[in-house]
Amino acid sequence: MHLAMILTALGLAWCLRCTGLEPSGTWTQRWQRSFGLFLFPPLLLIVTAIAVICMGADGKMGGLQAGWFSYSFAWGFLGVAGILCLKLAHEGWRSVQQTRTYPQIELEGKLGRLLNASVLFSAQIGFWQPELVVSQGLLETLDRDHLEAVLAHEQAHYYYRDTFWFFWLGWVRQITAWLPNTEALWQELLLLRELRADRWAAQQVDPLLLAESLLLVVSVSPVQSESFCAAFSAVAPRNRLEERIEALLAPSEESASPSLWLWHWILLGFLPLVTVPFHT
């Protein structure tokens, strides 16, 4: 019976990820659709594995005998997931330690770190309390107004704690890389993250200045992982850059309240735990 639970969860996760991903609708609609499709399948798999482990390898469920194969499989899946989490956390910790070797400077009344490089780069690097990192090339190239626009965008990443939440989403990406559309959904979420930061920054500075800064600051990020680094602009498909600029120049979109169906799907991900009391 436990094996049937695992196979059902795997089949459902695969089918949901095969759902067509069309980047259409408002920002809120796109975010809820992409976030739900990205998070629900791994959540279902993780909770199913936890339920199987809680029930153990002995006993029966629904009249069928439990076995060591499904129990070992569940432990193996969670073990691999745990190792990948530790690996990603170690990479992030090393990045934070490297960042702290950079000299500290003050920018618009806020502390940051100075990267001695000619590339035009700015980013929040870290986890819950990320640090702002800007390059020498950025400070030498941008005037005060354009620099203020870039810093407003980075402040938006800090406000939404993007580095913290995308660390966990990056972990989800790694443990479900074998599922369909994982990379497509990840790229969509990254784009929507930047669109949200742009929209927040556009309330603080002139959107046109922000769009001009975006065209100027297109460079290779010194930090490879976007799970704990929220950079203003990194190398990306041209359509992502164009969409961000078009969104800045278009009338601002009214924010909609989160749809209840998204929370219903998240709650459904915990449904396998309901089967635990039926194990005898």
Side-chain angles (χ1 to χ4, degrees), residues 79-99:
V80 171
I83 291 172
L84 289 175
C85 183
L86 291 176
K87 179 177 178 291
L88 188 62
H90 179 66
E91 291 175 359
W93 178 81
R94 290 183 60 184
S95 177
V96 170
Q97 293 302 111
Q98 177 65 35
T99 297

Side-chain angles (χ1 to χ4, degrees), residues 16-44:
L16 284 174
R17 279 293 186 84
C18 288
T19 303
L21 179 63
E22 293 295 333
S24 58
T26 63
W27 179 92
T28 304
Q29 292 169 338
R30 289 174 61 182
W31 174 263
Q32 292 178 354
R33 180 172 59 250
S34 300
F35 185 75
L37 289 174
F38 188 81
L39 187 61
F40 177 73
L43 178 63
L44 179 65

